Amino acid sequence: MVQRLISYMLHNKTPISLICVIGILAVSYGMLNDNNLAFIIGLLFVIVGYLLIRRRIKDYIKKKL
């Protein structure tokens, strides 16, 4: 089930961009309102989005070379 979800996320841009936007909004909310929990959760979302983008780029490069 998890692999199917990751596979879907790697082939579709919408969930990855949504994760990144949620993370950015949570980080900025946490910074503006001194909410440490929102800031940390936002950082986790941004890191997950970054890792998914990075994995997608690595797969693309492997297929091209």
Side-chain angles (χ1 to χ4, degrees), residues 3 32 37:
Q3 276 188 330
L32 293 174
L37 183 62

Side-chain angles (χ1 to χ4, degrees), residues 3-36:
Q3 276 188 330
R4 185 182 291 173
L5 179 65
I6 291 174
S7 175
Y8 172 75
M9 292 177 92
L10 288 177
H11 291 93
N12 197 347
K13 295 178 186 178
T14 306
I16 296 174
S17 58
L18 187 63
I19 288 172
C20 291
V21 168
I22 290 171
I24 291 168
L25 290 174
V27 167
S28 47
Y29 175 81
M31 289 176 65
L32 293 174
N33 294 329
D34 293 328
N35 189 339
N36 292 334

Side-chain angles (χ1 to χ4, degrees), residues 30-55:
M31 289 176 65
L32 293 174
N33 294 329
D34 293 328
N35 189 339
N36 292 334
L37 183 62
F39 180 77
I40 292 171
I41 290 172
L43 281 179
L44 291 175
F45 271 85
V46 170
I47 290 169
V48 167
Y50 166 74
L51 291 174
L52 288 171
I53 292 170
R54 185 171 176 243
R55 180 183 246 181

